[in-house]
Amino acid sequence: MGTEPPHTPDFLYGTAWKEERTAGLTELAIRTGFRGIDTANQRRHYFEAGVGEGLAAVYRDGVVTRGQLFLQTKYTYQRGQDHRLPYDVSAGLAVQVAQSLASSLEHLATDHVDSFVLHGPSSGYDWADADAEVWEAMRNERDAGRTRLLGVSNVSLRHLEQMEAAHAELPAFVQNRCFADLGWDREVRSFCKDRNIIYQGFSLLTANLEVLQHPALISFAQRLNVTPAQVVFSFARAAGILPLTGTSDRDHMVQDLASASVKLPPEVILAIESMAE
Ligand SMILES: NC(=O)c1ccc[n+]([C@@H]2O[C@H](COP(=O)([O-])OP(=O)(O)OC[C@H]3O[C@@H](n4cnc5c(N)ncnc54)[C@H](OP(=O)(O)O)[C@@H]3O)[C@@H](O)[C@H]2O)c1
């Protein structure tokens, strides 16, 4: 893998923490123009069946077809779950991965997702044997056609370097929380860029309030007649980040999508890159 996949949208709509509003907000996001949906088979933070209800509503009304959407879900280890598990914990990891994805496909009423992501490695430090086992099971799911592409999330540079040393195949996507005070995850982004891995960034706004409130950023926004949030999303894209947003607000959905056409001057991009360091 490692080559840029076709049909990856330029914004992903995140469905975490929406509980009973998940179906309505997923539907609204697609009606507003989002074509990429991020979810997880982790009932603790996501209501994946609700995402499926939202999809059913837009398909029914002819807003989009399945083929026009990019659907991404995740396998989450038991320690990231509550009691509502999408697999049999007594089964081995490979079986858990297969059961988790089978349940996601049922929730989303599809025969394949576009991206299947390991929610986080089993250790915060090393790429461990358990991760290698899960990764192999994920590759088998991909080879069987149940996902087009694979990804990993919440990974450090060390995880990725160890993964590279252990496996011939790297992910198509890395999805990380993107902290401005770490140069917007510069080290991991650079690893990804060198290997044609698409870096997905989440919490671009919520993890970086000091940037959103920075006088220089506010002044760039005023100069360009856009909002500070739009400047951050536009910067992210210029830095090669595929952004996620989890907004619950229709106007913010419109603004977030419109940030794709906000063009920042090179000196503004440079200034934002190191604004919080
Ligand atoms: N892999 C992982 O472990 C992981 C972890 C966390 C998140 N994620 C994924 O990433 C998605 C997004 O999460 P997130 O942490 O980036 O975002 P989030 O927690 O959903 O929050 C985004 C925040 O930004 C605000 N916002 C969005 N657009 C705005 C705008 N244009 N102007 C002002 N405020 C705006 C939202 O408020 P309003 O609702 O009022 O707009 C909300 O408070 C999640 O839903 C999930 O899919 C993945």
Side-chain angles (χ1 to χ4, degrees):
M1 211 168 286
T3 52
E4 184 161 342
H7 318 304
T8 304
D10 61 7
F11 225 126
L12 295 180
Y13 183 70
T15 59
W17 310 302
K18 295 177 172 59
E19 288 299 325
E20 73 285 352
R21 297 183 71 201
T22 302
L25 286 168
T26 300
E27 180 180 348
L28 180 64
I30 294 169
R31 286 187 189 277
T32 308
F34 285 91
R35 293 295 176 263
I37 301 293
D38 177 79
T39 185
N41 209 339
Q42 182 203 31
R43 190 59 191 84
R44 180 179 173 188
H45 294 303
Y46 297 79
F47 181 24
E48 195 177 53
V51 174
E53 282 173 38
L55 296 177
V58 290
Y59 296 155
R60 194 180 51 233
D61 289 357
V63 180
V64 287
T65 60
R66 165 69 187 92
Q68 291 170 317
L69 294 180
F70 175 93
L71 301 181
Q72 173 167 278
T73 191
K74 310 184 191 85
Y75 163 77
T76 312
Y77 281 113
Q78 186 188 1
R79 74 181 167 85
Q81 306 268 10
D82 60 18
H83 62 285
R84 295 166 291 180
L85 289 159
Y87 45 71
D88 173 5
V89 268
S90 64
L93 289 172
V95 174
Q96 288 184 22
V97 168
Q99 289 180 347
S100 182
L101 184 55
S103 156
S104 291
L105 297 181
E106 205 177 308
H107 287 155
L108 303 172
T110 184
D111 62 358
H112 73 285
V113 288
D114 297 280
S115 169
F116 186 38
V117 173
L118 171 57
H119 210 152
S122 59
S123 142
Y125 194 61
D126 282 323
W127 180 259
D129 291 348
D131 305 315
E133 192 181 338
V134 164
W135 188 239
E136 195 191 330
M138 290 174 64
R139 287 187 348 236
N140 290 339
E141 292 302 309
R142 191 271 320 279
D143 293 347
R146 288 186 280 272
T147 180
R148 274 198 312 120
L149 298 161
L150 297 174
V152 293
S153 181
N154 297 301
V155 285
S156 63
L157 179 61
R158 181 182 165 91
H159 283 128
L160 289 169
E161 285 174 347
Q162 291 183 347
M163 190 183 182
E164 184 169 51
H167 306 287
E169 184 171 333
L170 285 170
F173 300 107
V174 163
Q175 182 183 103
N176 267 4
R177 180 166 280 120
C178 197
F179 290 102
D181 58 5
L182 297 176
W184 307 85
D185 211 5
R186 186 182 286 122
E187 286 186 339
V188 171
R189 284 194 294 117
S190 160
F191 178 98
C192 291
K193 185 164 181 247
D194 292 347
R195 290 156 183 82
N196 274 328
I197 296 169
I198 294 182
Y199 178 97
Q200 303 179 4
F202 63 85
S203 300
L204 284 158
L205 305 182
T206 49
N208 301 310
L209 293 180
E210 75 283 19
V211 169
L212 276 172
Q213 289 159 5
H214 196 291
L217 190 120
I218 291 171
S219 124
F220 296 146
Q222 284 167 346
R223 212 166 83 203
L224 297 164
N225 200 23
V226 295
T227 69
Q230 286 179 304
V231 172
V232 169
F233 286 130
S234 172
F235 159 77
R237 225 174 259 104
I241 298 168
L242 167 58
L244 284 106
T245 178
T247 181
S248 299
D249 179 291
R250 192 187 173 280
D251 291 342
H252 288 165
M253 288 182 187
V254 171
Q255 287 170 10
D256 292 355
L257 286 170
S259 69
S261 54
V262 174
K263 294 286 168 262
L264 300 177
E267 69 276 13
V268 171
I269 296 167
L270 267 179
I272 298 173
E273 173 114 43
S274 54
M275 195 167 261
E277 287 182 296

